[in-house]
Amino acid sequence: MKGTIPVLRLGDILLVTVHIDLEDDIAHVLQNDLLVAIEKHGSRGLLIDISGLDMVDSYVARVLAETGQMAKLMGAVTVLVGMRPEVAATLVRMGYAMGGIRAALDVEDGLALLGYQLRPV
Amino acid sequence: MKISILSHKAMQITSEDDVVLVRREVRALAQGQGFDSFATAAVTTAASELTRNVFVHARSGEVDIDVVSDGRRNGLRVTFRDKGPGIADIDRAMRGGYSTARSLGLGLSGSKRLVDEFTLQSIVGTGTTVTFVKWKPF
């Protein structure tokens, strides 16, 4: 394995932060890992934080969108969070607006979208 | 318009890992030329799409990455060359939605929208050459 991306559990939500330049096979491994983790933990929500990516090409975009569709079939809601402005601009200019997937500004907004309340300590 | 070449780098595409290596090189050159983050993302993404196209369709090929100048401004010129099967219906491929197993069919049409100049030459049974230029935004 060239690199693995840790998947965190927050109650019934899974949080994954993609911070490396995604190679094609790593994107695919991540997709499988997330689906297996949803089943294992009975997760209702999946947050994918891509704020660390300065480039998302059509392959990675497709893997992300398909992950959302697959998770949906399993009963989990996926929220893509933190997409950078230049990534959003590039995807839409290419003709791929990822219309099927929910998005939020950041992890906190994404958690709120999934009904997860952050309480003060 | 006379184009001069300021620097040249040749890379080989022989595996899927080269998709990342080529886009890293293109990203570094774009940033080095002072491209803003939007132009850098555009040129890096286009390079990623076209490198993957070479690998998926021809299994191997070459990339030339040049920093060029037209006398007024600098830009990146990237050429992708393969000896793959070629494209029978270029118009259809350029319209997009001409999907293969590993893409959205946006590799060519999407890349073209991200750059300033885009040329494609393809001969069935001989191979395909794609060249794009992205000028540094003023």
Side-chain angles (χ1 to χ4, degrees), chain A residues 43-91:
Chain A
S43 308
R44 288 187 309 109
L46 173 60
L47 281 183
I48 306 177
D49 177 12
I50 58 165
S51 59
L53 296 183
D54 67 357
M55 192 232 56
V56 171
D57 67 7
S58 68
Y59 178 76
V60 171
R62 190 175 82 156
V63 171
L64 291 172
E66 285 181 353
T67 304
Q69 290 163 3
M70 293 167 185
K72 186 180 177 186
L73 286 177
M74 294 175 66
V77 177
T78 300
V79 182
L80 202 58
V81 300
M83 185 183 287
R84 289 197 194 166
E86 57 269 32
V87 172
T90 300
L91 283 173

Side-chain angles (χ1 to χ4, degrees), chain B residues 29-46:
Chain B
L29 284 169
Q31 289 170 339
Q33 288 300 314
F35 280 38
D36 63 31
S37 64
F38 285 81
T40 300
V43 78
T44 307
T45 305

Side-chain angles (χ1 to χ4, degrees), chain A residues 15-30:
Chain A
L15 168 64
V16 60
T17 300
V18 184
H19 54 89
I20 55 167
D21 201 356
L22 271 183
E23 291 172 50
D24 292 5
D25 46 358
I26 293 179
H28 210 75
V29 168
L30 176 65

Side-chain angles (χ1 to χ4, degrees), chain A residues 90, chain B residues 41-51 80 107 111-112 114-115 132:
Chain A
T90 300
Chain B
V43 78
T44 307
T45 305
S48 189
E49 302 290 344
L50 295 168
T51 304
F80 304 82
S111 300
K112 187 180 180 184
L114 296 176
V115 298
F132 73 72

Side-chain angles (χ1 to χ4, degrees), chain A residues 28-49:
Chain A
H28 210 75
V29 168
L30 176 65
Q31 179 177 77
N32 292 348
D33 286 352
L34 289 174
L35 298 178
V36 169
I38 287 170
E39 186 195 34
K40 184 179 170 191
H41 302 300
S43 308
R44 288 187 309 109
L46 173 60
L47 281 183
I48 306 177
D49 177 12

Side-chain angles (χ1 to χ4, degrees), chain B residues 91-112:
Chain B
D91 286 344
R92 191 176 159 211
M94 286 308 303
R95 276 200 303 272
Y98 191 74
S99 183
T100 62
R102 305 225 68 184
S103 77
L104 290 159
L106 294 172
L108 291 174
S109 62
S111 300
K112 187 180 180 184

